[in-house]
Each structure stands twice: as C-alpha cells, then as structure tokens.
Amino acid sequence: MNEITCQVERVVFRNEENGFAVADVRIAGGGGGRQKIRAVGTMPGLHTGMLCVMRGEFSVNPKFGEQFTVKDYDEAALSDAESIEGFLASGVVKGIGPKTAAQIVSRFGEATMDVIENEPERLLEISGIGEKKLRQITASYMEHKEVADVVLYFVRLGVGRAAAMRLYKLYGAAAPDAINEDPYRLVREAEGIDFKTADRIALRMGFAADSEQRIRSGVRYILFRAAMEGDTYLPEGELLERTNLLLDVMRERVEDALAVLLMEGELVCADVFGGKAWFLDFYYRAEKGVANGLLRIMNADAKPVRADAEGQISAMEKERGIELSDEQKRATLSSLANNVFVITGGPGTGKTTILRAVADIVKWNGFSLALAAPTGRAAKRISEQTGYEAKTIHRLLEYSPDKNAPPEEERFAFGRNAGNPLDVDVLIVDEASMIDVLLMDAMVEALPSGSRLILVGDADQLPPVGPGNVLKDILASERVDFAALTEIYRQAAESLIVTNAHRINHGENPHVNDRGGNFFFYRKPDEEACLQTIIELCQKRLPEYLGLSGMRDILSGIQVVTPVKNRALGTINLNARLQAALNPPVPGKRERVYGRRAFREGDKVMQMKNDYSLAWIGLSDFEKGEGVFNGDIGFVERVDEDEDTVSVVFDGERLVKYDADGLENIELAYAITVHKSQGSEYPALVMPMMFVPPMLATRNLLYTAVTRGRDLVVLVGSEDRLALMVANAGSKSRYSALAAFLLP
C-alpha cells in the first residue's frame, strides 16, 4: 500500500450519504514525477485546502488516466506556510479569501494556525479584518475544528470516517459525551453502524461484557436483524440461543434484560401457536393491528350488492365479450358476498379477469371503488388491464414521510388512518404477496367499517421484502374466505411460460427449446460464457427474433433479471457490461459520472425508492405533478452539463430532472434483481442460471422470475443449477404471527 501526503485542490464529487468523493490533489514534493493526481474513495469530511495523509494504490482509469484509490486517510497538521495558505484560501473558513489568506500567512507565517486558534484577536492587525469579520472567521474556524476533533475522536475508537461524520451530524459537539454515556445507542441512531462495531467501541471504553446495556442492546439488535430477514418475532428459545452466540453471557442475565425490556414496553412477549414469542413492540402492534382490523371489517355491516349478482355477471360477460368459467364465477360471486376475500392462483388462472369483473359490478351497484398495488409498475399494469385507475398503496393512503423517522414508524406517516379513513366502499389490491405487515397495518387501519377488501395475489411468489408474510398467513389462518384458482385457461395454456411456471411450482423441470415455443435454455459452461451469451442475446439475437428496431425498443422489450447484485452475473457487473455493449460512449453523447457509475444519454434506469416530492412534467399535455416510485423504469433523455442535471423519461410520459443529490436514487436497469422485478411484466425476460447463493437458490425465486416474462423467457447457464433450484422447495420460512392472531 502506498502513502502520499497531499493537499486537496478541488473536490470534484461528493456523496454526502456514504462519504464517497473524487478530488484533485497536489502531492507534497511531487515524488515519482507526480505533482497533481485524482484521488477516489470513501473520504467523508474531505474539503478543499485540507492537508492529508492518504493510503491506497495508484491505478490507471481508462477515461480519467492515473488516479489514487484511497483506502483510508488522516487529516495532517498544517505546518508549512504554503499548505496553510492553501487551506485558508480554499474558502473553508468563512471570511477569508485568497487575498486575505496571503496577507495572514505573510504576517504570521508557520504560526498562523496557532494565532487563529489561540490569539484570534491578532487577526485585527491584517488590513480589511474588523471586529465583525473577526467574529465570522473565529466562529467558522471553531466549527471546522469542532468537526475535525469529533471525527478524530471516533476514528481513534475504530469508527469509520463516514459513520463518524454521521455521528457529528446527529449529536454535534456533544457526540463524544453522548456515546460515552451509551455507546450502544449507535446501533439505534447511527445508520451504518452495526451492533458489533458499537460493541467493540463499548468494550474498548470499559463497559462490562455482561452489562445490562450490552445485553439489552444485543437483544434488540437480534430482533431487528431478524426483522430484516422477514421475521416479526423470534421464539424464546431461538432468541436466547442467538443472544448467547452473539454476547457469550449467562442465560440468567439475558432473562433479566428481557424482563426489563418487557416492563419498559420495548418488547412484547406473546403466545404464538402454544409457544412464547418475543416481538419488538411495533411489529407486535402491526400484526395485532392487521388481525383486529381484518376481523373488524369482516364483522361489520357492508352495503349489500343487488340480489341479482349472477344476472350482473351475465351482463358483464356480454358487455366485455367474455365468458367466465364456473371457477371464475364462483370467485366473483364470493368476492361480492364477503367483506374480506382473497383471490390467489398462478399465472394463466384468470385472476385479472375476475378482478375486472368484480370492478365492473361494483361500479354498476353505485359503490365507490379504489384499486391499488404495492408498486407503481403493478398499479400501472392493473390500470391498463382493467381500464380503472389504480394507485400505489402509499399514494392511496397519502404517504408523507418524515426523512428523520426510523422505518418502523412509517405507519405514522400516512394521511389516511383511523381518524381520517378512506372514502371508499370497495378496495381491490393486486400483487398482495408483496405487502409487508407494516404496510398492511396502515392500509387496514384506513379502511372504514362497512367497506369491502379484496386481495389478489399469487401466494407462491417470493414473500415481501419487508417483515411478515401477510398473504400466506391470511390463507393459512382459514379465517378469511378465499378462492384458490387452479384451472389454466386455453390461451394461457398455449404458452410454455405459463405451463413451465406451474411445472416449476410443482417441482418439475421446465420444457425448453420446443420449436415454436417461447421458453428457451442456452447451456453454458461458466459465468464468463454465460455473460457473453446474455450480451449477444440482448444485442443481436433477441432483437432480430422479436423484430425490435432501435435502441429504445430493444431496451423496452428485453429485461435481464438476476438473483444477485455481486459477482460476474450480478446486477452491478451486468449493468456495466450491457451498458458498454448496448449504449457505448460516442462523440456527442453526454454522460454524468456519479460515484462509480456513469449515466449516459439513452441509458435504461430505475428509481430505487419512493420519492413523493420529486417533480415531473407530462410530455404530451405538459401537466405537472409529483412522485416517482420505487421500481419505476425510464430512460436518460438528456444530460445537461451546465445545469448539472440528468433528465429521465418514465413510461414514455413523465419527464423528471435529477440534480446531483437525486442521482443516488437511480440505478442502471439493463439488469435488475428478481426481487425488484416483482409486480412487473416484460415482453422478453433473460436470466442467468449459474451460481446462486444457497439462500436464494429456491424454487419460488425461479418461479417468481419466470412469471415476469410475458412473451419470451430465456435462461442461460447450467442445467444442473436449474434442476437444483426447481428441486429446492425449502425457502426460508418466516416467523410471523398473523395467522395465530386471526384464530378465534
């Protein structure tokens, strides 16, 4: 590893969230023939004028030339007149510009920093500095020093600089005192610091290994981590076992800590199927809230549907030009007869047809109707398929997030709730398998008694990303009436995608490569061969096969999905390689480099989180609105170097301008994860079938991926891997209590 002493001349780019920065620096002495170089790495707190000791490696970037990749760095003391002047001239200290910096250093030389810190009144000797400017300079310098001192304090305790900067933003100058009192608060309050880091700091500070603070924090951490894996609770025996593995403390001490957490209301202990279960308070309240809310709606008096429901179905069939099967008619009638009803089934079983029929009849009865889905893509699809407007659940509930609130308090951020319920007689929610328990709690709370709720989804899809297993638990409870559709209809049965999805779901290998079929498998020996084939498929073979012309048509018609983010066949590498192949840099095509990514005009991109305040303008009618949602896919229309903005068009309709800060919320979308594809449908889907981490190599992940393809599915890789995923029905089961809470 190399070490350089350098002064920062310009910070080219900075990501305030993760501390990643790009800077032009001047190496002291210019050793090795170098004078200036570009430094790249995680460098929170870096600023123009700073003197640093950086450790890392020299490398050559194909576009930017030689650079220094920084592994870590320390701020160095400013000792010589030249570096002091560079620091003061940078503008970091308000009230001092280049001219004043030169005057100060000329007057005080190498003693300048000592004068500013200990004898600031001597700056009045400099022409142009009066009492007012002196106060500005002193306050600004002390703030800079305060930040540096706090960051250095935490760095010496083993906290990374990015996390140390977050701590300063949280607590200010009081950060060391706050952490000295309870270092375990870092886990709860400082994003990016896990329990093990906080524990290492606490033990270094002298906290006892069996201290109550340590055990309580460890228990909370274990339950939080379980929630991130989908569990709303842990059985007592498993909680005790995990705590012992993490902390290595006596069981009695853990039981004492649990008693205190229970008494203080942070944890809840409840009976779940005859065993003691431990919940974080808000997950217990959410699951209880869903159960109680569903029972409340089920037991209320709802507006009756006209007696001739079967006649209305016949009228709907005539108007739509369709004929429902007996199974579909029964499901439609049950949807109209029950206050809460679930429609579940695999692809091709007619869920959308039933949904559309119910919506028609509900409207004919004069009921107010709302349609919703967990994602913007799913809401758009249901709107197109039914002709009725659909919204995301968040928008329906008038979500207004507090950016500083923890995720578990999301349920308090909805404008629609028990005190301000939805004005709706019937709510139909599609893609219900994606709904986690916190969102379901908020939705059920906002539904007034006397309304109806119809959930539509495929219980064999992947579970929600968030905690809970709402759809499966509702079905497992057998407390809510449901229709499990099994009949595959003629048109759907002609598609190998549909028949293979059902084969996979039943543990049978799919039929592939049938002449005239739409489900293909390319056998490849390794990841690199697989990657090359995927690029060739997207670049040439599939566009020719599907008759796609023009880059926008190709990127709209073909979607690569993959189980993972890392490795050769993860989204990161696939996106880089597909971007280079499908949308390479050419003269006149502008791009904006953001961190390790480049967003180029023509790129396919995805919004990675809901942003309800992001402004857009309609391209056809110039209508203005707000809101871009997690999973929305668009194309980079223009990179404006003067404004430093990237304009993206979503759905061919809405133009959004991203400034530098907003770019952190979009990613290239030539390839996306299977989880991100949920709720979507693509004309052609391509998926690598090589190494998959055991945790993800499951039947329901493959099933979910395959069902995202509408006209064509192509798998590329190893038949053995495919067979292993088909055979692996053992996806991780979740600890969730909704089914138990729904029982009498």
Side-chain angles (χ1 to χ4, degrees):
M1 187 178 292
N2 297 291
E3 181 174 285
I4 60 172
T5 300
C6 58
Q7 189 156 29
V8 180
E9 292 200 332
R10 182 170 71 106
V11 177
V12 178
F13 166 81
R14 182 199 318 279
N15 184 329
E16 297 292 352
E17 289 296 315
N18 60 23
F20 181 82
V22 178
D24 291 332
V25 303
R26 181 180 294 275
I27 299 175
R34 302 181 181 92
Q35 186 63 33
K36 287 185 179 180
I37 195 169
R38 178 156 285 187
V40 178
T42 302
M43 299 178 284
L46 196 77
H47 59 77
T48 302
M50 180 185 282
L51 188 69
C52 300
V53 177
M54 294 181 173
R55 289 168 289 278
E57 302 292 345
F58 291 100
S59 60
V60 177
N61 182 287
K63 182 170 183 178
F64 299 109
E66 188 178 36
Q67 65 182 28
F68 190 74
T69 302
V70 180
K71 302 298 183 187
D72 65 86
Y73 81 100
D74 294 311
E75 185 172 1
L78 297 161
S79 56
D80 64 277
E82 183 182 359
S83 61
I84 292 171
E85 184 175 339
F87 167 73
L88 294 177
S90 70
V92 170
V93 179
K94 293 180 176 62
I96 300 179
K99 183 178 177 181
T100 305
Q103 289 178 293
I104 293 172
V105 175
S106 175
R107 175 74 179 83
F108 301 114
E110 294 179 357
T112 295
M113 301 312 296
D114 185 61
V115 168
I116 293 175
E117 188 168 340
N118 300 308
E119 300 178 275
E121 66 280 357
R122 293 188 61 190
L123 294 177
L124 294 170
E125 299 171 20
I126 305 300
S127 174
I129 297 181
E131 291 288 349
K132 184 177 179 181
K133 182 168 281 191
L134 175 63
R135 287 194 295 272
Q136 182 187 27
I137 291 169
T138 303
S140 179
Y141 175 74
M142 292 310 294
E143 181 182 357
H144 167 78
K145 186 174 184 301
E146 179 179 280
V147 175
D149 288 347
V150 169
V151 169
L152 181 60
Y153 173 84
F154 286 114
V155 167
R156 286 173 174 166
L157 283 174
V159 178
R161 285 182 173 271
M165 284 295 294
R166 286 195 292 272
L167 292 176
Y168 177 78
K169 289 177 181 177
L170 275 172
Y171 307 116
D177 292 336
I179 303 312
N180 284 336
E181 181 182 332
D182 180 10
Y184 294 104
R185 69 190 298 176
L186 293 170
V187 184
R188 305 188 300 274
E189 300 173 7
E191 184 182 352
I193 296 182
D194 65 9
F195 175 82
K196 291 180 180 178
T197 301
D199 195 38
R200 192 165 56 246
I201 293 168
L203 295 175
R204 195 173 294 167
M205 291 170 60
F207 279 74
D210 64 347
S211 69
E212 185 178 301
Q213 279 174 297
R214 181 172 187 254
I215 298 171
R216 290 172 61 178
S217 180
V219 168
R220 282 193 297 259
Y221 168 71
I222 287 166
L223 288 171
F224 268 115
R225 192 168 64 177
M228 294 306 100
E229 295 173 357
D231 300 317
T232 57
Y233 74 87
L234 286 178
E236 182 172 80
E238 188 158 343
L239 177 59
L240 291 170
E241 182 181 343
R242 291 191 193 186
T243 306
N244 183 57
L245 283 172
L246 179 70
L247 304 177
D248 190 23
V249 293
M250 294 178 64
R251 180 185 177 113
E252 291 78 9
R253 296 288 291 141
V254 179
E255 290 173 342
D256 290 344
L258 287 173
V260 174
L261 289 166
L262 181 65
M263 182 177 63
E264 293 181 352
E266 290 193 52
L267 302 187
V268 174
C269 184
D271 178 88
V272 175
F273 296 120
K276 290 178 72 175
W278 287 88
F279 299 75
L280 291 165
D281 170 60
F282 40 84
Y283 290 126
Y284 173 81
R285 283 187 284 130
E287 288 210 292
K288 267 292 187 183
V290 173
N292 292 339
L294 289 174
L295 294 172
R296 169 181 58 81
I297 296 167
M298 288 165 60
N299 294 325
D301 292 328
K303 289 168 65 174
V305 177
R306 292 203 305 264
D308 60 337
E310 292 194 21
Q312 292 179 71
I313 290 176
S314 297
M316 181 279 305
E317 290 176 312
K318 185 175 181 180
E319 182 168 309
R320 289 278 188 181
I322 62 173
E323 183 177 348
L324 300 186
S325 70
D326 290 342
E327 183 181 65
Q328 289 176 319
K329 285 179 182 176
R330 286 195 299 271
T332 302
L333 288 168
S334 296
S335 297
L336 298 169
N338 287 277
N339 289 5
V340 179
F341 192 71
V342 177
I343 302 168
T344 184
T349 55
K351 296 190 298 295
T352 302
T353 301
I354 297 168
L355 189 157
R356 189 167 53 224
V358 171
D360 283 348
I361 295 171
V362 161
K363 294 298 288 184
W364 292 349
N365 277 267
F367 293 173
S368 58
L369 170 69
L371 277 74
T375 68
R377 290 164 295 151
K380 184 171 186 280
R381 189 157 58 89
I382 193 176
S383 293
E384 293 169 348
Q385 291 173 336
T386 65
Y388 293 99
E389 180 191 9
K391 298 179 179 180
T392 66
I393 297 172
H394 282 79
R395 182 169 284 287
L396 179 75
L397 300 182
E398 299 175 10
Y399 183 51
S400 180
D402 176 357
K403 292 184 178 180
N404 297 316
E408 64 270 12
E409 292 184 10
E410 185 177 77
R411 63 190 184 283
F412 300 123
F414 293 102
R416 294 291 186 169
N417 48 43
N420 183 31
L422 292 166
D423 184 15
V424 62
D425 295 319
V426 178
L427 172 61
I428 302 174
V429 183
D430 198 15
E431 296 290 352
S433 65
M434 299 175 66
I435 305 174
D436 65 38
V437 70
L438 293 177
L439 184 57
M440 187 69 177
D441 181 33
M443 185 175 75
V444 170
E445 181 189 340
L447 273 174
S449 298
S451 62
R452 285 182 168 87
L453 173 64
I454 301 169
L455 300 174
V456 183
D458 184 347
D460 293 316
Q461 297 275 0
L462 287 170
V465 174
N469 216 355
V470 171
L471 182 61
K472 283 188 176 179
D473 278 359
I474 290 174
L475 293 170
S477 75
E478 298 185 353
R479 190 74 185 276
V480 176
D481 284 339
F482 66 92
L485 308 175
T486 57
E487 185 178 347
I488 302 173
Y489 295 95
R490 183 182 59 79
Q491 188 174 356
E494 293 172 357
S495 167
L496 265 180
I497 297 173
V498 172
T499 57
N500 278 337
H502 287 275
R503 287 182 64 84
I504 290 167
N505 204 28
H506 295 139
E508 303 170 8
N509 286 338
H511 294 307
V512 300
N513 301 341
D514 288 2
R515 183 179 295 276
N518 59 359
F519 199 109
F520 297 93
F521 193 97
Y522 284 81
R523 300 165 183 84
K524 296 298 164 185
D526 54 46
E527 289 187 334
E528 184 56 33
C530 191
L531 177 58
Q532 291 295 341
T533 300
I534 289 172
I535 292 170
E536 186 181 345
L537 283 166
C538 295
Q539 201 170 23
K540 290 183 178 180
R541 295 192 201 177
L542 292 183
E544 291 174 1
Y545 180 81
L546 296 167
L548 301 174
S549 61
M551 189 54 58
R552 185 66 58 87
D553 280 351
I554 292 170
L555 295 179
S556 298
I558 303 169
Q559 182 62 59
V560 178
V561 302
T562 180
V564 295
K565 293 182 179 179
N566 298 313
R567 294 180 64 98
L569 296 172
T571 54
I572 296 170
N573 189 54
L574 275 167
N575 273 317
R577 296 287 293 273
L578 287 166
Q579 182 192 44
L582 298 172
N583 190 29
V586 296
K589 183 176 284 189
R590 291 163 296 201
E591 65 180 47
R592 170 64 158 86
V593 176
Y594 182 82
R596 298 174 178 84
R597 294 164 292 159
F599 295 109
R600 190 172 298 137
E601 290 175 341
D603 276 338
K604 185 178 184 179
V605 295
M606 174 183 277
Q607 175 78 9
M608 302 305 287
K609 60 186 287 190
N610 292 333
D611 188 336
Y612 291 83
S613 62
L614 193 57
W616 53 263
I617 185 168
L619 294 181
S620 58
D621 54 10
F622 302 107
E623 176 192 1
K624 292 183 179 180
E626 292 181 342
V628 181
F629 308 110
N630 181 11
D632 282 357
I633 287 181
F635 292 90
V636 176
E637 192 73 18
R638 175 179 170 80
V639 174
D640 192 313
E641 295 165 343
D642 294 330
E643 291 185 0
D644 194 21
T645 58
V646 175
S647 296
V648 177
V649 174
F650 289 99
D651 303 322
E653 300 170 354
R654 296 171 295 144
L655 177 69
V656 177
K657 277 190 178 182
Y658 288 88
D659 58 19
D661 292 336
L663 292 177
E664 68 178 333
N665 294 327
I666 58 173
E667 296 278 1
L668 294 174
Y670 297 88
I672 62 176
T673 63
V674 177
H675 283 86
K676 281 292 183 185
S677 75
Q678 283 183 271
S680 295
E681 189 176 67
Y682 310 104
L685 180 134
V686 180
M687 181 178 176
M689 189 58 53
M690 294 297 290
F691 171 79
V692 180
M695 185 177 173
L696 296 175
T698 62
R699 181 186 299 170
N700 74 331
L701 184 135
L702 177 61
Y703 172 79
T704 300
V706 165
T707 56
R708 301 306 93 200
R710 187 185 70 207
D711 304 321
L712 181 69
V713 169
V714 182
L715 307 180
V716 184
S718 161
E719 286 178 308
D720 290 342
R721 293 287 179 186
L722 173 61
L724 283 171
M725 289 186 76
V726 172
N728 182 15
S731 55
K732 178 186 177 298
S733 59
R734 295 185 170 192
Y735 292 118
S736 57
L738 178 56
F741 291 163
L742 280 169
L743 295 177

